[in-house]
Amino acid sequence: MQAYEFINNLIPPLKLNDQSKMALSWMQEIRTNFLPVVDKGQFLGFLSEETIFDLNNPEAIVEEITLEKSACWVYSDQHIYDVLRVSSEQDSNIVAVLDREMAYLGVVTMEDAIAAIADSLSIQSQGSVLVLSMNMTDYSLAEIARLAESENTKILSSFISSDPLDENKIKLTLKLDKPELRYIKATLERFGYKILDHYQEEQKISSEEDRIGNLLRFLDI
């Protein structure tokens, strides 16, 4: 799941001699607030819709306008997770993709990135989500999977994040194949695992909006 696999070819780059009115027209047509600016194959940053409106000069060329988020990019061979990380750090819903020679290849939108991760984490599969808290030294997915399987439940995917309330602990989010959590919760608690939260999903996810919502909940964003 490398970044280049999810490049959105519908979003064109701007050139330095393009006019702001053309850039705004493209933004409105493809429904984005930012467009990448590229010169001689090199990524320079993003031009924002807000900047164009503030400038209020439709004849101005891109070269005359201050660009934003020049650090909002990833290498083409980085994982799609890195796209989400950079998006969060740069507060941007679009991330540029460069090769290892720093040549511009395209952009990945957050909608595409989230959809890709939702697929990889079995988010659209029927089941449930369980969130555990533990010390990193106590983490053993094999042991947790063994306990889950003792209750005829399988772990479809897992996700580790830091615990904002305790820097010495992690949060382990599990996607399980069964909607019923009562027995697996009791088993895990009996073996000393602390359960922070759980989500039971009785119905199959039926739309892209639901899938993205469940992914954000799964990642605890």
Side-chain angles (χ1 to χ4, degrees):
M1 295 183 66
Q2 296 178 326
Y4 76 89
E5 299 177 53
F6 305 98
I7 288 175
N8 189 322
N9 293 313
L10 297 178
I11 299 178
L14 294 167
K15 301 185 294 294
L16 290 178
N17 61 353
D18 287 333
Q19 290 184 319
S20 63
K21 63 181 179 181
M22 187 194 76
L24 187 59
S25 175
W26 283 4
M27 290 178 187
Q28 292 172 345
E29 181 177 347
I30 61 180
R31 298 181 181 180
T32 182
N33 295 326
F34 293 92
L35 281 176
V37 177
V38 176
D39 182 46
K40 298 177 182 178
Q42 302 297 301
F43 172 68
L44 302 181
F46 287 99
L47 178 61
S48 74
E49 182 182 57
E50 183 178 0
T51 298
I52 294 175
F53 282 133
D54 289 343
L55 184 65
N56 195 28
N57 181 2
E59 305 301 323
I61 61 173
V62 173
E63 189 174 19
E64 301 170 342
I65 305 173
T66 302
L67 303 181
E68 303 176 28
K69 306 181 189 302
S70 60
C72 189
W73 59 270
V74 296
Y75 286 120
S76 59
D77 56 0
Q78 285 185 265
H79 196 274
I80 196 69
Y81 282 148
D82 290 309
V83 175
L84 287 182
R85 174 182 56 78
V86 171
S87 169
S88 176
E89 291 173 352
Q90 298 291 322
D91 190 25
S92 174
N93 64 358
I94 186 171
V95 175
V97 179
L98 315 181
D99 66 17
R100 287 290 171 173
E101 283 70 49
M102 302 300 290
Y104 173 83
L105 299 179
V107 296
V108 177
T109 68
M110 287 312 94
E111 183 178 359
D112 291 337
I114 289 173
I117 293 177
D119 287 338
S120 72
L121 294 176
S122 304
I123 295 301
Q124 71 240 48
S125 301
Q126 187 174 0
S128 56
V129 174
L130 197 60
V131 184
L132 311 179
S133 174
M134 67 191 72
N135 293 318
M136 187 63 192
T137 54
D138 296 330
Y139 169 66
S140 171
L141 187 59
E143 173 63 14
I144 295 169
R146 184 187 68 79
L147 295 175
E149 289 174 1
S150 72
E151 298 296 342
N152 297 314
T153 301
K154 292 187 181 300
I155 297 174
L156 299 178
S157 59
S158 62
F159 181 82
I160 294 177
S161 58
S162 59
D163 189 334
L165 300 180
D166 189 337
E167 62 181 13
N168 296 316
K169 292 188 176 183
I170 61 169
K171 290 196 299 182
L172 174 64
T173 304
L174 304 172
K175 178 62 187 275
L176 308 175
D177 68 339
K178 300 290 178 62
E180 174 56 56
L181 285 170
R182 178 173 41 175
Y183 298 111
I184 180 63
K185 284 173 59 181
T187 297
L188 290 171
E189 288 175 334
R190 188 166 68 251
F191 280 84
Y193 290 99
K194 180 181 178 181
I195 297 174
L196 293 180
D197 213 341
H198 66 276
Y199 309 96
Q200 292 176 266
E201 300 167 359
E202 298 290 347
Q203 301 297 324
K204 185 176 180 181
I205 297 171
S206 58
S207 70
E208 186 75 10
E209 183 178 348
D210 288 335
R211 180 169 66 165
I212 291 174
N214 276 273
L215 174 66
L216 297 178
R217 187 172 62 187
F218 180 73
L219 300 180
D220 197 25
I221 295 177

